[in-house]
């Protein structure tokens, strides 16, 4: 059923109904008949008169019609919302990013997050202020400096050796032979 051509006024006696004998586009159920009447039921539940059952079925039909109307209104509103978002250039990805950003801000301002951050800060101060941390830090710093110096010395020595090797008669002879192979 086309949501545009229907009466969506909730106070209207024709609410949610399009052309007579129409079918609800969301459920595929005929909107004319509604709930089954008392005649379709062979037995009544105990303690229920036929008039009460008819009244309940009538109310059920009205509620089902209202549900269908609300579904159709919701469908029209969702379509309108999607059109507005499209016109504004809002994509589902942008909405997801906004939701994640807002969620992260909510987490950061939550009491649990704030308390945890404070506690971690306290622990960090205690650890970095301890003698063991200071000694370990100094030892690692000295080891890093010594390693850097050793690697630098080794690099210089290796570079010197490669230079010496390149100037050697054996390397020159090898270089000439490789050069001749390329040219040949």
């Amino acid at each position: 059923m086309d949501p545009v051509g229907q009466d969506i006024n909730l106070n209207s006696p024709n609410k949610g109904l399009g052309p007579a004998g129409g079918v609800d586009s969301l459920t595929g159920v005929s909107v004319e008949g509604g709930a089954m009447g008392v005649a379709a039921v062979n037995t009544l539940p105990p303690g229920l008169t036929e008039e009460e059952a008819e009244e309940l079925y009538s109310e059920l039909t009205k509620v089902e019609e209202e549900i269908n109307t609300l579904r159709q209104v919701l469908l029209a509103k969702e379509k309108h919302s999607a059109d507005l978002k499209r016109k504004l250039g809002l994509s589902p990805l942008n909405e997801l990013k906004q939701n994640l950003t807002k969620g992260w801000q909510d987490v950061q301002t939550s009491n649990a997050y704030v308390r945890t951050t404070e506690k971690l800060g306290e622990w960090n101060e205690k650890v970095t202020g301890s003698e063991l941390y200071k000694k370990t830090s100094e030892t690692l710093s000295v080891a890093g400096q010594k390693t850097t110096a050793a690697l630098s010395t080794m690099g210089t020595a290796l570079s010197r050796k490669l230079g010496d090797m390149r100037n050697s008669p054996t390397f020159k002879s090898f270089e000439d032979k490789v050069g001749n192979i390329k040219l040949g």
Side-chain angles (χ1 to χ4, degrees), residues 44-98:
L44 294 175
L48 197 62
T49 66
E50 192 169 318
E51 290 109 21
E52 291 172 332
E54 280 185 30
E55 192 176 307
L56 290 174
Y57 279 116
S58 173
E59 185 177 344
L60 177 61
T61 301
K62 288 178 185 176
V63 170
E64 287 176 345
E65 287 174 359
E66 288 175 4
I67 290 170
N68 286 332
T69 300
L70 291 172
R71 282 187 181 136
Q72 292 162 0
V73 169
L74 179 61
L75 184 65
K77 296 279 185 187
E78 286 176 339
K79 183 176 185 276
H80 184 64
S81 172
D83 288 343
L84 292 173
K85 286 178 182 179
R86 183 183 45 78
K87 288 178 183 176
L88 289 170
L90 299 176
S91 68
L93 181 59
N94 287 340
E95 286 185 57
L96 177 64
K97 286 195 288 189
Q98 289 174 350

Side-chain angles (χ1 to χ4, degrees), residues 33 60 119 124 163 169 171:
L60 177 61
K119 203 49 118 167
N124 186 38
F171 188 79

Side-chain angles (χ1 to χ4, degrees), residues 84-119:
L84 292 173
K85 286 178 182 179
R86 183 183 45 78
K87 288 178 183 176
L88 289 170
L90 299 176
S91 68
L93 181 59
N94 287 340
E95 286 185 57
L96 177 64
K97 286 195 288 189
Q98 289 174 350
N99 289 342
L100 289 174
T101 301
K102 173 141 180 28
W104 180 241
Q105 288 172 348
D106 291 346
V107 165
Q108 287 179 319
T109 57
S110 71
N111 288 335
Y113 182 85
V114 170
R115 284 193 309 263
T116 302
T117 303
E118 289 171 356
K119 203 49 118 167

Side-chain angles (χ1 to χ4, degrees), residues 167-181:
N167 294 328
S168 72
T170 307
F171 188 79
K172 294 269 186 201
S173 170
F174 178 72
E175 191 175 36
D176 289 339
K177 288 180 182 177
V178 171
N180 289 337
I181 293 173

